[in-house]
Amino acid sequence: MHEIVASAKQLAQSVRELTRKHNSWFKESIPLIASENVMSPVAREVLNSDLNNRYAEGLPFKRYYQGNIYVDEIETICENLAKEVFSCKFADVRSISGTVSNMAVLMALTKPRDKMTTVALSDGGHISHAKIGATGVRGVRTFNYPFDEKNMNIDVEGAKRLIREVKPKVALFGQSVFLFPTPLKELNGVFEEVGCTTWYDAAHVLGLVAGKRFQDPLKEGVDVVSGSTHKTLPGPQHGMIISDLSKDGLETSLRRGVFPGVTSNHHLHSVAALAVTLAETKEFGEAYADQTIKDAKALGGALHERGFNVLCEHLGFTASHTIVVDVEEYGGGAKVAKALEKANIILNKNLLPWDSDPVRPSGIRIGAQELARLGMKENHMADVSELIARVVVKGEPPEKVREDVIEFKRQFTKVHYCFYEGEEAYDYPAYDGDIV
Ligand SMILES: *Cc1c(COP(=O)(O)O)cnc(C)c1O
C-alpha cells in the first residue's frame, strides 16, 4: 500500500462523505440486525443539540456542576416516564449503554469471587455476562444454566438443580438471542430457597416489555432489570436500570453503581432523546411491540416456506422480535451473512447451541423490530424472505438481487409509531458543498 498524504480538511471531508454514504446505504437496505433500530424525528432533534456539549454528574437538583437548570428537568421527566412506562418504583437513566448498566448492577449486587448463574454465550447469553466481559472484570465467577436446545430456553429442572448446587449470590437471566420468555415463575421458589438476588437483562426486549407484549420481569418477581435503550426500545444508544426495590438497600447500591461507580457524565443528549422515546412508547409502544412480534412470526413462517431451517417451528418460531435460522446447509452463518450484505440485506451470523467451533457459527439471527418501525406489516415478510431466498437458496448473484432490494426499500424509508410519524428515517441535517 502506498502512502496517501491527505490534509486535515480532506480527511474531515472524507469522513463526512463516508457517513453520507453509510446513511444512503442503510436507506437502500433491509435492516435485520436484532439489536438495532431507528430513532424518531424529535428524539434525533434533541440528540443533536447543545446537551451533547455539557456535563452533569449526580442526580437532578443535586449536581456537581452549574449549567444544569434544564438538564435537571429533562432528566426528571425521563426518570418519571421510565417509572410510568415500566410501572415500577425506581429507574436510573444515567448508564450510557447496556453493558455499562450491567457493570453498574454488578457493582451494586456483587463482590469479586461471588458466584453468579448465567446463560452461556453459545446459548445466546451476552458477552457482558461472561468471564471475558464485564462479569470477568468484576471478578465474579459464572456458572451456566443447562439449556434446552429444542425449545431455545433455559432448562427449568436443570436450572433449579444448578441454583441449589451453586447457591449463587445472583441469578442472572436474559439473552442476546432471546426468542421466548424466561421461565421465571417456574423457578421462583428456588431463589428464595438459596436466598439469591435475581437480575434480568432486558437489553433486547425492553421495548416489548414496555409494550406489554413480553413477560414483565419485575411483575414476575425479579429484583433488578437492566437494558439497552436502542434495540426493541427505539431510542438513543444508552442504557437504563429499573427495579421495584424489593430488597433493602437496592436503591442506594444501584445509584452508587451507576455514579460514581461506572459513569461520570451520563450523555445528557441521550437522556433527552430517551425521554422523548419513552413518551412515544407511552403513546405508541403497545401497537409497535404488537406489530414487531407479528412481523417476526410472519418472517419465520415465510422463510420456513422457502425451505429455510428456522428454529422452533413447533413454538411458532418466536415470541419476540427475533428468529434464528440454521444455515449450515448453505455454508454457515458467515458465508450467508456476507452474501446477503452484498445484496443490501444486513443481518449477522450467530452461534447455535450445538456449534462446536465458536468461530464458525452455523446460524443467522434476524430481528423484525426495525422493519415494523419502518411500516412493514406481516404481508411484507413474504417479500423480505423471497429476497433472502433468492441469494441464499436460489444462488442468484447478490448484486442482481440488490437492485430489487433497493426498489422494495423505497416504500419504507419513514419512521412510524412516533410523533411526526411519516418523517424520513435516514435524512440528517447537512451543510451544502465541501468543507471550506
Ligand atoms: C446488547 C446487549 C447488551 C449490551 O448492550 P450495549 O448497549 O451494546 O452495551 C447487554 N446485554 C444483552 C443481553 C444484550 O443483548
Side-chain angles (χ1 to χ4, degrees):
M1 219 179 102
H2 63 100
E3 205 179 327
I4 300 165
V5 183
S7 70
K9 199 188 273 184
Q10 283 166 332
L11 289 170
Q13 183 60 27
S14 298
V15 170
R16 212 179 178 194
E17 278 159 19
L18 290 165
T19 305
R20 286 175 187 168
K21 277 187 191 163
H22 171 91
N23 290 352
S24 312
W25 182 35
F26 269 74
K27 186 171 183 166
E28 294 183 337
S29 297
I30 297 178
L32 296 172
I33 305 262
S35 60
E36 298 180 350
N37 220 315
V38 283
M39 281 205 306
S40 75
V42 186
R44 271 189 282 154
E45 178 187 314
V46 299
L47 189 80
N48 189 24
S49 70
D50 181 72
L51 291 166
N52 175 67
N53 305 324
R54 304 304 152 202
Y55 252 84
E57 281 180 349
L59 289 166
F61 309 105
K62 284 176 250 166
R63 302 293 195 189
Y64 296 81
Y65 293 93
Q66 300 315 120
N68 293 152
I69 292 176
Y70 302 108
V71 169
D72 286 347
E73 289 192 48
I74 291 166
E75 194 171 315
T76 304
I77 291 172
C78 191
E79 245 192 56
N80 287 340
L81 275 167
K83 285 192 269 188
E84 189 182 340
V85 165
F86 293 100
S87 331
C88 62
K89 290 191 184 136
F90 169 87
D92 194 303
V93 296
R94 298 173 300 165
S95 48
I96 58 173
S97 76
T99 298
V100 171
S101 307
N102 288 352
M103 290 168 68
V105 176
L106 279 163
M107 202 162 159
L109 301 184
T110 67
K111 291 192 180 62
R113 303 288 301 153
D114 276 350
K115 292 184 274 188
M116 187 161 83
T117 49
T118 62
V119 178
L121 290 182
S122 54
D123 297 332
H126 189 255
I127 201 130
S128 60
H129 305 178
K131 200 177 161 198
I132 52 166
T135 298
V137 173
R138 184 61 169 156
V140 165
R141 291 177 287 164
T142 58
F143 302 82
N144 296 143
Y145 305 111
F147 201 73
D148 176 349
E149 296 175 357
K150 184 161 176 280
N151 296 319
M152 286 298 278
N153 212 331
I154 287 167
D155 174 72
V156 174
E157 291 313 312
K160 281 185 186 168
R161 242 178 286 123
L162 180 80
I163 293 166
R164 285 194 177 112
E165 191 186 300
V166 170
K167 298 191 175 53
K169 180 79 168 291
V170 176
L172 169 59
F173 300 97
Q175 290 132 252
S176 300
V177 181
F178 209 165
L179 305 187
F180 301 101
T182 302
L184 292 169
K185 285 179 194 147
E186 292 82 341
L187 292 170
N188 257 338
V190 189
F191 307 136
E192 279 139 43
E193 217 178 289
V194 303
C196 65
T197 303
T198 49
W199 168 19
Y200 183 101
D201 182 345
H204 261 267
V205 294
L206 205 56
L208 307 179
V209 175
K212 301 182 171 55
R213 294 296 183 278
F214 203 73
Q215 75 187 145
D216 182 336
L218 291 177
K219 297 296 160 292
E220 292 184 26
V222 161
D223 297 311
V224 179
V225 174
S226 60
S228 309
T229 57
H230 47 267
K231 297 183 180 179
T232 53
L233 192 80
Q237 296 207 338
H238 199 73
M240 63 189 282
I241 299 168
I242 53 176
S243 173
D244 271 332
L245 305 178
S246 44
K247 288 193 158 64
D248 286 344
L250 262 185
E251 177 162 16
T252 309
S253 60
L254 289 170
R255 289 289 196 202
R256 281 190 192 145
V258 179
F259 176 82
V262 295
T263 63
S264 69
N265 187 35
H266 49 276
H267 300 186
L268 311 175
H269 56 311
S270 303
V271 174
L274 176 57
V276 170
T277 306
L278 289 168
E280 291 174 332
T281 299
K282 179 169 137 84
E283 189 92 2
F284 310 100
E286 293 195 26
Y288 175 50
D290 204 54
Q291 192 59 50
T292 295
I293 295 170
K294 281 183 183 157
D295 283 358
K297 285 174 172 287
L299 189 56
L303 286 168
H304 175 75
E305 276 171 28
R306 283 163 182 78
F308 281 100
N309 181 7
V310 187
L311 303 193
C312 297
E313 184 198 355
H314 64 295
L315 299 171
F317 306 109
T318 185
S320 74
H321 60 305
T322 305
I323 56 170
V324 178
V325 188
D326 184 341
V327 290
E328 187 57 30
E329 63 191 293
Y330 304 111
K335 183 169 172 234
V336 165
K338 275 201 185 126
L340 287 170
E341 186 182 48
K342 288 193 196 135
N344 282 13
I345 298 170
I346 316 290
L347 49 70
N348 62 283
K349 61 185 177 222
N350 215 98
L351 279 178
L352 301 181
W354 47 86
D355 280 343
S356 52
D357 184 353
V359 296
R360 206 188 160 281
S362 58
I364 50 173
R365 183 185 69 164
I366 298 178
Q369 72 293 337
E370 199 169 335
L371 304 186
R373 178 83 161 155
L374 295 167
M376 291 191 209
K377 308 277 190 223
E378 294 98 302
N379 58 313
H380 300 117
M381 297 305 113
D383 299 315
V384 172
S385 60
E386 184 58 27
L387 290 163
I388 295 172
R390 282 173 57 194
V391 176
V392 181
V393 181
K394 297 177 184 161
E396 283 187 45
E399 295 75 14
K400 185 172 147 237
V401 177
R402 183 171 64 205
E403 299 305 313
D404 294 333
V405 168
I406 292 171
E407 187 55 37
F408 171 74
K409 185 65 187 306
R410 284 212 179 100
Q411 310 161 250
F412 303 105
T413 63
K414 297 178 162 63
V415 198
H416 297 268
Y417 308 100
C418 59
F419 305 125
Y420 293 105
E421 174 152 20
E423 284 291 310
E424 286 291 331
Y426 304 91
D427 288 354
Y428 290 85
Y431 295 103
D432 287 334
D434 285 356
I435 295 176
V436 288

